[in-house]
Amino acid sequence: MAGSSTPSSLTAVTLLAALLLFLNPSNAQLTANFYAKTCPSVSSIVQTVIQEALQSDPRITASLLRLHFHDCFVDGCDGSLLLDNSPTIKSEKDAAPNFKSARGFDVVDKIKAAIESACPGTVSCADILALAAQASVSLSEGPYWTVLLGRRDSLTANQAGANTSIPSPSDSYNNLVSKFSAVGLDITDLATLSGAHTFGRAQCKSFNPRLYNFTANGGPDPTINPWYLTNLRKLCPQNGDSSVLADLDPTTPNLFDNHYYSNLQKNEGLLLSDQELYSTTGAATISIVNSFSFDQSAFFESFARSIVNMGNISPLTGSNGEIRFNCRKVNWS
């Protein structure tokens, strides 16, 4: 009878499923204790190197978190962003969202070198980015979460994908929703992960279009608080240096807190993509912004969930990819 199964056929199905899992190890799940026996000190090594970097670079924590974000949005969390140009690779570092703005690669190199010294050939560069993101947030007084591990590193990069998949500072609300949805993240993840802009800096070129000739009659973006607009125009004059840096959060620029959301309520989101979450009529993110502005604990709890969701985007596991010895190039290249 159609749909019925004999014991022998069930056994065959079970064996087939087991065989498919063996042949396709990418189905394996990331785990919290992946390096418990092979590199038990990995988390403390990552944190120590970042703490040292913080002594001279207060931006480094936000920069490292951004690397994890930009890596995961392009073909999943596979360390592809870290690859330099080579005869066979067009680096994602040269894609528009990363060119002369993505930073912290030298610190990733130091972390990798320290881990290789302690646990040679064991920890992937993709996992280093995930661990560095967690350590960076915790060191900036943000939430702690358990990092799931077991990713392997890609054998190539996708510069074209980086140009199209990574959310842009000038993206509309609908574009942001679309880009998050494309990698399996929802509205809550969008509103929550955008809260990472509660620390760090952005170059004038990433928000200058909001300050001048934004409207048809040559005016600024009407959603910018007039007081904030005046300050930003002083920092970023129309024909000034486009690489000058502005604090993403003018109140506590180096702390991971919920001020990002109260800034949006005051029309003081630095990037258009930030303010769109609150100023877009009917946006589903408005209520989330209001909630997180009122309750920092709710933001922290949601961030811990959402960044784990992001870290689960299409990881290479099992025998797929490799464990790079140098995060900047594939092995034996």
Side-chain angles (χ1 to χ4, degrees), residues 103-137:
R103 60 189 301 275
F105 299 109
D106 56 332
V107 176
V108 174
D109 291 339
K110 291 177 182 177
I111 294 171
K112 180 62 172 173
I115 292 174
E116 284 297 304
S117 178
C119 323
T122 303
V123 180
S124 69
C125 300
D127 276 348
I128 286 174
L129 289 182
L131 288 163
Q134 191 283 314
S136 294
V137 170

Side-chain angles (χ1 to χ4, degrees), residues 7-58:
S8 59
S9 66
L10 284 173
T11 301
V13 169
T14 302
L15 288 173
L16 178 61
L19 179 62
L20 287 173
L21 182 60
F22 176 76
L23 293 174
N24 186 19
S26 63
N27 289 332
Q29 296 297 304
L30 303 179
T31 63
N33 59 355
F34 189 82
Y35 299 112
K37 294 183 178 179
T38 57
C39 196
S41 60
V42 62
S43 294
S44 60
I45 292 172
V46 172
Q47 179 152 325
T48 297
V49 175
I50 297 174
Q51 281 178 310
E52 292 172 356
L54 263 175
Q55 301 307 308
S56 58
D57 183 3

Side-chain angles (χ1 to χ4, degrees), residues 7 10 33 45 56 64 66 73 81 86 92-93 100 140 147 153-154 166 169 194 218 223 278 292 296 299 314:
L10 284 173
N33 59 355
I45 292 172
S56 58
L64 290 171
R66 185 170 183 254
F73 265 72
L81 172 59
S86 78
E92 292 172 22
K93 296 176 183 178
K100 293 186 178 180
S140 304
V147 183
D153 296 322
S154 68
I166 297 173
S194 296
T223 66
Y278 192 72
F292 290 167
Q296 180 168 279
F299 166 48
S314 305

Side-chain angles (χ1 to χ4, degrees), residues 54 58-59 61-62 65 136-143 195-201 247-260 263 296 299-300:
L54 263 175
R59 298 172 57 200
T61 47
L65 177 59
S136 294
V137 170
S138 290
L139 288 169
S140 304
E141 300 186 21
H197 287 169
T198 189
F199 66 171
R201 316 286 189 271
D247 294 330
L248 283 160
D249 172 8
T251 56
T252 52
N254 297 323
L255 295 182
F256 196 97
D257 53 29
N258 68 334
H259 289 188
Y260 168 84
N263 292 340
Q296 180 168 279
F299 166 48
F300 280 11

Side-chain angles (χ1 to χ4, degrees), residues 17-290:
L19 179 62
L20 287 173
L21 182 60
F22 176 76
L23 293 174
N24 186 19
S26 63
N27 289 332
Q29 296 297 304
L30 303 179
T31 63
N33 59 355
F34 189 82
Y35 299 112
K37 294 183 178 179
T38 57
C39 196
S41 60
V42 62
S43 294
S44 60
I45 292 172
V46 172
Q47 179 152 325
T48 297
V49 175
I50 297 174
Q51 281 178 310
E52 292 172 356
L54 263 175
Q55 301 307 308
S56 58
D57 183 3
R59 298 172 57 200
I60 193 60
T61 47
S63 297
L64 290 171
L65 177 59
R66 185 170 183 254
L67 290 185
H68 183 41
F69 185 97
H70 281 212
D71 180 45
C72 289
F73 265 72
V74 184
D75 297 336
C77 311
D78 60 3
S80 60
L81 172 59
L82 302 175
L83 290 169
D84 285 342
N85 284 307
S86 78
T88 58
I89 289 172
K90 292 181 67 175
S91 177
E92 292 172 22
K93 296 176 183 178
D94 292 337
N98 300 317
F99 187 65
K100 293 186 178 180
S101 66
R103 60 189 301 275
F105 299 109
D106 56 332
V107 176
V108 174
D109 291 339
K110 291 177 182 177
I111 294 171
K112 180 62 172 173
I115 292 174
E116 284 297 304
S117 178
C119 323
T122 303
V123 180
S124 69
C125 300
D127 276 348
I128 286 174
L129 289 182
L131 288 163
Q134 191 283 314
S136 294
V137 170
S138 290
L139 288 169
S140 304
E141 300 186 21
Y144 173 86
W145 64 91
T146 299
V147 183
L148 301 183
L149 301 164
R151 301 169 191 81
R152 288 167 65 85
D153 296 322
S154 68
L155 302 175
T156 188
N158 184 356
Q159 187 182 113
N163 276 319
T164 58
S165 300
I166 297 173
S168 159
S170 60
D171 271 341
S172 67
Y173 174 77
N174 287 336
N175 283 346
L176 292 169
V177 171
S178 178
K179 287 182 178 180
F180 272 71
S181 177
V183 293
L185 299 177
D186 63 18
I187 295 290
T188 300
D189 295 318
L190 165 59
T192 301
L193 293 172
S194 296
H197 287 169
T198 189
F199 66 171
R201 316 286 189 271
Q203 297 180 39
C204 288
K205 65 181 180 182
S206 64
F207 58 87
N208 249 2
R210 302 183 68 202
L211 310 184
Y212 310 98
N213 299 318
F214 184 85
T215 63
N217 62 2
D221 180 352
T223 66
I224 303 179
N225 181 307
W227 168 88
Y228 193 41
L229 174 65
T230 299
N231 284 358
L232 291 178
R233 281 180 163 176
K234 288 178 182 176
L235 183 66
C236 305
Q238 194 159 10
N239 297 309
D241 182 353
S242 66
S243 65
V244 169
L245 297 169
D247 294 330
L248 283 160
D249 172 8
T251 56
T252 52
N254 297 323
L255 295 182
F256 196 97
D257 53 29
N258 68 334
H259 289 188
Y260 168 84
Y261 299 101
S262 53
N263 292 340
L264 297 187
Q265 291 175 319
K266 296 181 291 185
N267 286 343
E268 294 175 10
L270 182 63
L271 307 179
L272 177 67
S273 57
D274 291 326
Q275 196 60 49
E276 284 281 287
L277 301 182
Y278 192 72
S279 296
T280 301
T281 303
T285 48
I286 294 173
S287 61
I288 303 174
V289 170
N290 289 334

